[in-house]
Amino acid sequence: MPEHATVEMTDETEALEAETQRLELLLSTLGSKLSQLAGEQVSARQQLETRWLNDLRQYHGEYTADELARMKESGTSSIYVNLTRNKTRAAIARLSDMLLPNDDRNWGIKPTPEPQLSVLSNSPDQAAKAEARQRREIAEQTARLMQTAIDDDFTEARYNGKARDVIGDSCLLGTGVLKGPVVVNRQRRAWRRDEQSGLQVMEIQEEFRAGLERVDVWDFFPDMSAATMEEAEFGFERKLLNKKQMRELSNLPGVIDAQLRKVLETDPDGTHISSDRRDELRHITGVDTVVNNKRWELWEYWGPLDKEELIAAGVEVDEDPLTEYNGCVLFVGEHVIKAAINPLDSGELPWSVHNWEEDPASIFGFGVPFLMRNPQRVAATAWRMIMDNAGLSAGPQLAVDKSAVTPQDGDWKLRPRKVWISTGKVPLNQAFYAYNIPSNQGDLYSIFQAAQQLADTETNLPILLQGEGVSGGPGARTATGMQMLMNNSNIVLRSAVKNYDDGITEPVVRRFYDWHMAYDERDEIKGDFSIVARGSSVLIARQEQQEKLLALAQIAASNPEFAQSTEWQGLYREIVRSMSVSADSVLKDEETVEQEKKQAGQQMPPDMQLKQMELQLKQQEQQLKSQEMQMRAQREQADYQLRVQEQQFEQQYRAAELQSKQERDRAELALKQNLTLAELEAKLGLESQKLELKMRETSAKLQTQRDTTAAELTDRQNERRARQANMEQGFDSYG
């Protein structure tokens, strides 16, 4: 081999080794930088984790070790009356029922409005109007296809179940996290018959789809300097893996095997950047601490990355120096094992956050236990005092003079039929003294009740949401009263529902829309759409919503302009849904309705259509006449009741006037004739009889008048009913 060729190969080898060392140094630098950045977020979140532990203790009704030690030392009761669990479970159940209806989705997709379509729709040119209508129908059909595709992704990913877990986290700890879209490898199994053997053979097909994950809030470490997820520049997610799961990481595409092997060889015990709180969580729930709990911390970073760092991790990037890269890095300790570019062109972080009550200074919010911390403490303290007072007041405190008596068995404990020996030094009635401690149960229980009411006030979760009794009088127990109370109780949950729409529904659906626009091969589902979060619209109670929809239908039917601008099929579909009935199983689809309309229009001749329109007008006219007759009857009924009330007032006035006159006559007669009381009563007895007879006659006349008026009113009502029945049968006259 020539000497110059050997020199060239040596130079190439040295250059390759130098480049490899440079890339390894960049990779090591990236791992150190991300590990340090993750440690900073962990340190900044320590105070929040302490608050979450207090929330969990409160939810499970557990005192801290220091509190139990103080109670044991003072000899007081350590019972814990738990109000927090019921409040939290009620919030979870109510919010899940509102946001995740079984017969509908809480989101939708619709085409974005186009100004050009509005111009074409208002154009006098019929061809332009037809073009606008056709383009609008195509856009709506495309939006429905995109909505179906995303809905299919949500069904495969069990969106409702994971969303309930997120709602549970937000109600308990204040924050729930949903992650998506994430690429998941799903296996589909199908059975087919083998042509050669004739046996049934199972085929396993693998497919990559966009999925969803509920992220435990304990493993979520976003940019702690941000107040919202929109402000967050980056984020970390921790996953605790065992050795088997660590080895399975080698099956992921793009994993750096050398780095993964280095982790398993040089760090057999696992490097931990954050504290593993699971032992504390197990202690709160009463589970023994696990001795052998060796786990590796796999950290997932999403955020900005340098071009050189991505190249060092084996990622192909563009050479444009002005491009800002946003990607994902998996690392353990300071070892980077995988990196990739963010699959979304928007560079958006994959996490969405829902807060029960938002904190304007932090991504993490406040949960129900935190909001009712003080009422829970008051309730638990008051109940311990009730137990302590009940124990002390259950029996007397005894004082014994040992110089006066001595127990026969030598035991000073009291028990039934015990024998005591008198010493004779002190009278026996002075040997024992009993003191009863007063019972303050009523006063202490009023404090407990005040704490319950304070918990309702602090959390804005009335006791009605827990399914307990309703106060407020008999009217509150009627169907209308209960409906009003339920509607009022829903008002306090509107902010939580709005937080879910803004924090979870809208961003998650938007990211899935971006995913399908970028990676789905079906062009028929792609278009310019907007996301509609409809959690707030289903917040109204179904019965109230049904009443409003029916009222809207009546208003639209009574006004021709409103009727022309109303989508009747959509309105009827909403009415069916408000009755908790599946609309798909009851209503026909739009294509079937249009075809039936066309067939009916083709089969019916023009003269028949005209007669049908005349019949509809006649029916509307009869309905108006019927309404007019009903209003007239109601007016006559009101006039009759008014006359009856006037007659009653007049009778009461006459009776009062006669009684006053009787008293005046009695006084004057006593003064003038100087009569005794017996003579006066005998003389006035006759007057009283005459007065009573006169009142009976007056009452009889009034009753006769009322009966006559009622009979006339009944005749008129019967006549109107007969006339109305005659008109409904198609006749224009009666009699």
Side-chain angles (χ1 to χ4, degrees), residues 13 30 62 98 125 134 137 149 197 203 208 230 362 377 379-380 386 492 497 533 572 674 702:
T13 303
L30 175 62
E62 295 289 336
M98 291 178 179
D125 187 4
Q134 183 179 6
E137 291 177 354
S197 62
E203 289 185 349
F208 293 94
E230 289 75 15
S362 173
R377 288 175 179 172
I386 289 174
V492 300
V497 173
Y572 184 56
N674 221 2
L702 292 175

Side-chain angles (χ1 to χ4, degrees), residues 285-332:
T285 56
V287 180
D288 294 336
T289 302
V290 179
V291 178
N292 186 12
N293 190 25
K294 186 169 63 176
R295 293 288 189 275
W296 280 266
E297 275 189 346
L298 175 66
W299 288 87
E300 184 175 334
Y301 166 83
W302 290 79
L305 292 170
D306 294 336
K307 181 179 70 173
E308 295 295 332
E309 295 172 343
L310 289 171
I311 294 175
V315 180
E316 296 182 1
V317 296
D318 298 332
E319 296 297 333
D320 188 359
L322 300 179
T323 303
E324 180 181 3
Y325 297 96
N326 196 293
C328 170
V329 177
L330 300 180
F331 64 97
V332 179

Side-chain angles (χ1 to χ4, degrees), residues 543-568:
Q543 185 173 355
E544 181 187 3
Q545 187 179 14
Q546 177 184 346
E547 294 175 357
K548 292 185 176 182
L549 289 172
L550 292 175
L552 179 62
Q554 293 178 357
I555 294 173
S558 62
N559 191 318
E561 295 183 0
F562 293 168
Q564 186 176 3
S565 60
T566 300
E567 178 60 38
W568 290 103

Side-chain angles (χ1 to χ4, degrees), residues 190-230:
W191 290 88
R192 68 172 183 84
R193 183 178 297 277
D194 188 8
E195 296 180 355
Q196 297 180 355
S197 62
L199 300 177
Q200 294 290 336
V201 180
M202 183 178 65
E203 289 185 349
I204 299 178
Q205 299 178 353
E206 294 186 353
E207 61 176 359
F208 293 94
R209 298 197 60 171
L212 284 167
E213 290 182 2
R214 169 254 180 183
V215 179
D216 194 342
V217 68
W218 294 93
D219 298 329
F220 179 56
F221 299 86
D223 182 3
M224 294 302 294
S225 64
T228 61
M229 285 302 299
E230 289 75 15

Side-chain angles (χ1 to χ4, degrees), residues 589-606:
D589 56 14
E590 296 181 0
E591 296 181 358
T592 303
V593 173
E594 292 296 331
Q595 291 179 0
E596 291 181 354
K597 286 183 178 179
K598 291 180 180 178
Q599 293 177 0
Q602 294 174 358
Q603 296 175 0
M604 186 178 297

Side-chain angles (χ1 to χ4, degrees), residues 319-591:
E319 296 297 333
D320 188 359
L322 300 179
T323 303
E324 180 181 3
Y325 297 96
N326 196 293
C328 170
V329 177
L330 300 180
F331 64 97
V332 179
E334 296 184 355
H335 303 285
V336 176
I337 62 174
K338 186 181 186 305
I341 296 292
N342 192 328
L344 298 179
D345 295 337
S346 61
E348 188 176 356
L349 299 179
W351 302 286
S352 295
V353 172
H354 170 239
N355 295 326
W356 172 259
E357 183 170 309
E358 293 186 344
D359 182 1
S362 173
I363 292 176
F364 299 94
F366 304 105
V368 175
F370 177 81
L371 296 178
M372 61 177 298
R373 183 92 79 222
N374 292 329
Q376 176 63 72
R377 288 175 179 172
V378 174
T381 304
W383 201 258
R384 293 200 309 269
M385 294 169 64
I386 289 174
M387 293 296 102
D388 293 338
N389 181 252
L392 291 174
S393 61
Q397 299 289 321
L398 294 178
V400 182
D401 188 351
K402 289 187 176 183
S403 63
V405 293
T406 301
Q408 185 182 25
D409 57 0
D411 188 0
W412 288 92
K413 293 181 180 179
L414 294 177
R415 58 176 176 267
R417 293 182 294 277
K418 187 177 181 67
V419 178
W420 299 84
I421 301 174
S422 175
T423 61
K425 297 180 180 179
V426 180
L428 289 178
N429 59 355
Q430 298 180 9
F432 295 92
Y433 178 75
Y435 178 76
N436 290 311
I437 295 180
S439 175
N440 300 318
Q441 301 292 302
D443 296 337
L444 294 175
Y445 189 69
S446 63
I447 297 176
F448 176 77
Q449 288 180 319
Q452 283 184 306
Q453 296 175 0
L454 185 61
D456 294 347
T457 304
E458 293 284 351
T459 59
N460 280 335
L461 292 172
I463 199 170
L464 181 64
L465 293 180
Q466 298 173 222
E468 299 191 15
V470 180
S471 60
R477 296 179 176 86
T478 62
T480 305
M482 286 293 296
Q483 185 63 38
M484 293 177 62
L485 288 174
M486 288 299 298
N487 294 338
N488 293 335
S489 65
N490 287 336
I491 294 175
V492 300
L493 297 175
R494 291 178 187 254
S495 60
V497 173
K498 193 66 172 64
N499 291 343
Y500 189 90
D501 284 346
D502 296 340
I504 297 288
T505 304
E506 196 276 333
V508 169
V509 178
R510 185 182 65 248
R511 290 198 296 269
F512 271 82
Y513 162 67
D514 293 340
W515 173 276
H516 281 282
M517 290 295 294
Y519 298 104
D520 202 309
E521 298 179 355
R522 295 171 294 178
D523 294 334
E524 63 271 13
I525 72 170
K526 299 182 179 182
D528 188 11
F529 307 133
S530 59
I531 311 302
V532 182
R534 296 190 286 117
S536 301
S537 64
V538 299
L539 176 62
I540 305 174
R542 287 298 178 96
Q543 185 173 355
E544 181 187 3
Q545 187 179 14
Q546 177 184 346
E547 294 175 357
K548 292 185 176 182
L549 289 172
L550 292 175
L552 179 62
Q554 293 178 357
I555 294 173
S558 62
N559 191 318
E561 295 183 0
F562 293 168
Q564 186 176 3
S565 60
T566 300
E567 178 60 38
W568 290 103
Q569 187 174 5
L571 179 59
Y572 184 56
R573 182 176 293 272
E574 292 298 327
I575 293 175
V576 172
R577 286 175 178 171
S578 68
M579 298 178 179
S580 299
V581 178
S582 177
D584 296 334
S585 61
V586 175
L587 302 181
K588 302 175 182 177
D589 56 14
E590 296 181 0
E591 296 181 358

Side-chain angles (χ1 to χ4, degrees), residues 16-36:
L16 182 60
E17 291 179 354
E19 180 65 18
T20 302
Q21 293 177 357
R22 187 181 72 85
L23 294 178
E24 289 181 353
L25 180 60
L26 283 173
L27 205 60
S28 177
T29 303
L30 175 62
S32 300
K33 181 181 71 173
L34 294 181
S35 179
Q36 181 181 359

